Amino acid sequence: MMEMGDSNQDLDLIDILWKQDIDLGARREVFDYNHRQKEHELQRQRQLEEEKKLHLLREQEKALLAQLKLDEETGEYIPHTKPILPPQQAVVSIEISQDANFTEETGDGMSFDECLQLLAETFPVGETENPSVCMELPPVSVYPSGTMMPSEQPALSPAVLPNPLTPPQRVTPDLEEAWMEILSLPELQCFKMQVDETMEATNFPIQTSPQVQNPSYPNNQLFPNTPYYPMPSASDLKTKNLNVGPGEFMNTCDGPVPSMAPSDISQINVEDPQVNPNFTPDSFCSSVFYPDTIVEESSSQHGHEESENVSEIPSKPSFTPMDLYTLSPEDVFDRSKRLPADFPDSDSGISTHSSPYSSSPSKSAYGGGSYNFSDSEMDDLDHNPGSAESDYSEMFSLNFQPEDLELAKPESEQTGQCKQLDKKPKQHMEDPAEESGHSGTPFTKDKPKKRSDVRLSRDEQRAKALKIPFTVSMIINLPVDDFNEMMSKHELNEAQLALVRDIRRRGKNKVAAQNCRKRKMENIVGLEHELDLLKEEKERLLDEKSKNATNLKEMKRQLNSLYLEVFGKLRDEKGNSYSPSEYSLQQSTDGSIFLVPRMKKTFKI
DNA sequence: CCTGCCTGTCATGAG
DNA sequence: TACTCATGACAGGCA
């Protein structure tokens, strides 16, 4: 019912517009011809309206009967036991429901074929012999092929179209309005809605900003609202924008979708997903760098290990025999207390197990007693005056008391004490000459002492050999100022100074190397994780691209069908249809629709 | 004995 | 300028 009213209003409006065209000087014969068609059209519309009214009445009767119950005794229809609406109200409700259904159909739920069918029903003329489509569709202007507007021309304004021979018959504004109304009818709106839905379903960014639209194609003024497809070739885009005939629709799937529809359709701006700058930047960027978990783990690990160091730093040096050997107790205590606060080695955490803090004291007690001078650098010491070894056994008392060790070691180290104890025979095995009759077989299954421990002991032994009055841990880990202060308190010769500097350098470099390797491993792990994320992202994007391509193809197919449908309804003044191979529909900047001949190479003025 | 891994050390450049 | 740190390269130990 409402549809009928709208259609009638539209037809009346078109009629009025045509009458205005008469005033504007439209040719008489055209009007008369169209007027006859118009009357015929109105007659058909009335017939359809009557049929629909009859159908509606029948539906109402059915509905009423459905709400009544046949009284078997009297043979009469009586209302149902359940409350029902009064007949008049029921009719209204039925109408509403039907309207609702119709609205649904013309809305989102309407298929494209239904839209076309509605279009055909609303404009049934011009199907075969009836060329009265000119009544509904504006008498499109026919441009000579030579005036096909190349993209270089500023605009498709008929006023500036240069052809004195056959000046383009500009569609009058009223006719334009009628044309726009036709294109904006619900029958065509459904197509727009379908296009919108398709766009939304494909997650295409819809841009309406004029600055963004067609930024690289300033000459594309023939279709200013043409959806912007960042396609590889701009020139290709230009040419295809000018030729929007139906033949190109299916052949230009990679090209722009021509916009011969009203601007509301053409406002859709489709960007190539591959070029889409909005392509999940956040997630991607967040995945580019190390995951937070890794960073947190690393930092927490560092913090934890630093705390371990903090816990163990104060206790270690104070009970080292070297300290007792050279430093006064209060001096050692003060330095040890100061260590955790201003300990500069922020990356020392990685080497908890092998850092001088953990290894130096115990190794001094155990490994130090092994006299393992296998390192070539220690050869000189080996050949050196036995004072070194004697002093060593003297200072790092072989009669070491376990209680002292436990006091000197942090709890974390104490747990591995047995392991450390087991390493001692291994050192003896490494140097059979030093074996004192102990059988190494019972300890062979135990893990031998680490090289770092051996190296530490070497440095310690060297320091001991040169009578360096500091612990290796202090030499390595003291801040520069404290280290210099400590050095200044003792008169050291060149050899001692060089050794102290080497010990400090090697110790710090060892920790640095450990941290460097740890970071390298973390980088590898992080990159592997990032690689996995990127693979997943690639998979997802490929899937999305495939879906988008499918949707775009379907959309172009529908657009092509609609184009052909609309084009097929166009008639010239004689009622003949235009050939899609010779003409094409184009839209100018102001939304006007033109029927433009296709470019012919052999054009002559 | 060979090989791969781990670790320490050196050299070097950057801060 | 000295120092510290990071890192590649090399070598030794070990399974």
Side-chain angles (χ1 to χ4, degrees):
Chain A
M1 300 282 282
M2 295 174 63
E3 166 63 20
M4 278 301 162
D6 290 341
S7 297
N8 288 332
Q9 288 178 0
D10 291 335
L11 294 173
D12 292 339
L13 179 59
I14 293 172
D15 200 10
I16 293 171
L17 293 174
W18 275 102
K19 288 177 181 177
Q20 291 176 350
D21 280 347
I22 294 174
D23 296 336
L24 291 173
R27 284 183 292 184
R28 179 74 182 183
E29 58 273 18
V30 173
F31 171 72
D32 288 343
Y33 183 83
N34 291 332
H35 185 63
R36 290 197 304 273
Q37 301 303 325
K38 172 68 177 179
E39 288 180 349
H40 184 264
E41 168 69 19
L42 288 177
Q43 189 175 356
R44 288 192 58 172
Q45 291 295 333
R46 292 193 197 97
Q47 289 178 359
L48 283 174
E49 189 175 355
E50 288 177 1
E51 287 179 2
K52 287 192 175 182
K53 282 183 178 178
L54 289 175
H55 183 264
L56 182 60
L57 285 177
R58 282 196 291 271
E59 291 294 330
Q60 291 175 359
E61 288 177 1
K62 287 181 181 178
L64 282 175
L65 290 177
Q67 294 181 2
L68 296 177
K69 181 182 179 182
L70 180 62
D71 191 345
E72 296 178 357
E73 295 180 357
T74 63
E76 296 176 352
Y77 283 95
I78 59 174
H80 265 294
T81 53
K82 63 181 180 181
I84 60 172
L85 292 173
Q88 184 63 27
Q89 200 170 344
V91 171
V92 173
S93 65
I94 291 170
E95 290 179 358
I96 291 174
S97 64
Q98 287 181 347
D99 288 343
N101 290 337
F102 184 82
T103 305
E104 270 190 15
E105 287 185 354
T106 56
D108 298 341
M110 197 167 192
S111 68
F112 181 70
D113 292 335
E114 290 170 338
C115 289
L116 291 180
Q117 187 177 357
L118 260 180
L119 187 65
E121 289 177 1
T122 309
F123 308 102
V125 292
E127 298 286 343
T128 55
E129 77 289 348
N130 195 346
S132 66
V133 69
C134 295
M135 299 289 289
E136 285 74 31
L137 300 177
V140 290
S141 302
V142 178
Y143 287 78
S145 58
T147 63
M148 272 292 292
M149 288 68 62
S151 59
E152 290 77 12
Q153 292 189 0
L156 187 66
S157 175
V160 297
L161 285 176
N163 196 332
L165 299 180
T166 56
Q169 299 174 8
R170 169 82 193 274
V171 178
T172 62
D174 293 334
L175 295 184
E176 287 180 22
E177 290 180 8
W179 173 244
M180 296 302 292
E181 284 185 7
I182 290 171
L183 289 181
S184 62
L185 286 177
E187 290 80 356
L188 290 180
Q189 287 293 323
C190 71
F191 172 74
K192 167 185 176 285
M193 297 171 69
Q194 276 200 352
V195 171
D196 290 344
E197 288 174 4
T198 307
M199 287 302 191
E200 291 178 3
T202 53
N203 288 331
F204 280 127
I206 298 178
Q207 297 183 1
T208 57
S209 170
Q211 291 98 339
V212 182
Q213 288 179 353
N214 271 350
S216 0
Y217 310 111
N219 293 329
N220 184 23
Q221 300 186 17
L222 182 60
F223 301 99
N225 296 324
T226 299
Y228 169 45
Y229 289 78
M231 292 306 172
S233 170
S235 59
D236 186 43
L237 182 79
K238 290 179 190 172
T239 57
K240 294 192 174 177
N241 255 353
L242 286 173
N243 259 332
V244 293
E248 283 81 5
F249 273 92
M250 300 307 291
N251 298 333
T252 58
C253 282
D254 292 337
V257 173
S259 164
M260 79 294 183
S263 59
D264 51 357
I265 295 181
S266 60
Q267 282 179 0
I268 301 168
N269 195 336
V270 181
E271 290 187 357
D272 190 344
Q274 292 176 341
V275 197
N276 185 4
N278 298 328
F279 141 72
T280 60
D282 295 334
S283 62
F284 182 76
C285 288
S286 65
S287 68
V288 162
F289 303 102
Y290 295 143
D292 292 339
T293 55
I294 295 179
V295 176
E296 289 176 2
E297 175 189 279
S298 175
S299 60
S300 65
Q301 210 169 351
H302 275 262
H304 178 61
E305 290 167 356
E306 277 196 10
S307 65
E308 284 184 357
N309 277 340
V310 165
S311 66
E312 63 185 349
I313 285 172
S315 60
K316 293 260 179 136
S318 57
F319 295 97
T320 303
M322 267 195 186
D323 293 332
L324 299 177
Y325 173 73
T326 56
L327 298 178
S328 62
E330 56 272 14
D331 188 13
V332 172
F333 183 70
D334 289 343
R335 295 186 182 280
S336 302
K337 277 196 305 183
R338 220 167 47 200
L339 268 176
D342 50 7
F343 185 49
D345 197 0
S346 61
D347 54 4
S348 64
I350 188 174
S351 58
T352 304
H353 60 285
S354 59
S355 69
Y357 281 131
S358 60
S359 57
S360 158
S362 58
K363 295 315 162 196
S364 300
Y366 292 108
S370 65
Y371 318 114
N372 183 7
F373 296 140
S374 60
D375 193 286
S376 58
E377 296 177 354
M378 297 303 292
D379 289 345
D380 51 353
L381 285 181
D382 291 338
H383 302 310
N384 204 354
S387 63
E389 290 186 12
S390 61
D391 287 348
Y392 182 84
S393 44
E394 187 178 346
M395 297 186 311
F396 298 84
S397 54
L398 291 176
N399 54 356
F400 158 79
Q401 297 299 320
E403 305 86 60
D404 295 338
L405 176 63
E406 288 187 3
L407 284 174
K409 295 161 73 73
E411 289 186 352
S412 58
E413 282 285 311
Q414 291 177 15
T415 57
Q417 183 174 345
C418 295
K419 185 177 175 180
Q420 301 276 350
L421 287 170
D422 291 340
K423 290 177 182 176
K424 177 183 175 182
K426 180 67 180 182
Q427 292 298 320
H428 286 279
M429 291 177 61
E430 287 178 350
D431 194 354
E434 295 296 332
E435 283 185 359
S436 57
H438 289 293
S439 172
T441 49
F443 309 99
T444 50
K445 64 177 181 180
D446 296 321
K447 188 175 181 179
K449 176 184 283 187
K450 290 185 176 180
R451 263 182 98 239
S452 60
D453 298 338
V454 177
R455 168 57 61 187
L456 256 301
S457 67
R458 289 170 189 164
D459 278 340
E460 286 189 351
Q461 291 171 21
R462 275 190 253 187
K464 189 72 201 116
L466 293 183
K467 292 184 167 56
I468 304 296
F470 319 116
T471 64
V472 172
S473 62
M474 291 176 67
I475 293 173
I476 295 174
N477 297 312
L478 274 181
V480 180
D481 295 340
D482 292 344
F483 177 74
N484 292 333
E485 182 182 351
M486 182 181 73
M487 295 286 284
S488 64
K489 286 184 179 179
H490 298 80
E491 292 290 336
L492 300 178
N493 56 32
E494 281 299 318
Q496 285 176 322
L497 288 174
L499 179 59
V500 168
R501 281 194 292 266
D502 284 347
I503 290 174
R504 184 174 175 86
R505 175 179 53 80
R506 279 193 296 264
K508 285 191 173 297
N509 186 251
K510 184 181 70 175
V511 176
Q514 290 168 343
N515 288 330
C516 183
R517 283 163 180 148
K518 180 185 178 184
R519 276 191 298 271
K520 191 181 292 183
M521 291 303 298
E522 289 175 351
N523 285 342
I524 293 173
V525 172
L527 288 174
E528 286 175 347
H529 184 249
E530 181 184 342
L531 185 63
D532 293 340
L533 292 179
L534 288 177
K535 284 179 179 177
E536 294 176 3
E537 180 76 6
K538 180 185 176 184
E539 199 83 10
R540 190 185 62 79
L541 288 176
L542 285 177
D543 186 56
E544 184 179 338
K545 179 184 176 184
S546 175
K547 290 178 180 176
N548 288 340
T550 303
N551 291 333
L552 185 62
K553 192 175 179 181
E554 174 64 16
M555 195 179 64
K556 287 183 177 180
R557 190 190 63 79
Q558 294 179 355
L559 194 60
N560 185 42
S561 299
L562 185 61
Y563 180 91
L564 292 176
E565 189 76 18
V566 173
F567 196 92
K569 295 180 182 307
L570 295 178
R571 293 293 183 275
D572 59 7
E573 298 163 355
K574 298 179 181 178
N576 298 324
S577 61
Y578 293 99
S579 171
S581 61
E582 297 177 357
Y583 296 93
S584 65
L585 282 176
Q586 294 183 5
Q587 186 180 26
S588 66
T589 55
D590 57 356
S592 303
I593 304 298
F594 296 95
L595 185 66
V596 182
R598 293 185 177 278
M599 180 73 74
K600 291 182 179 177
K601 296 178 181 176
T602 59
F603 172 74
K604 294 179 181 177
I605 299 178

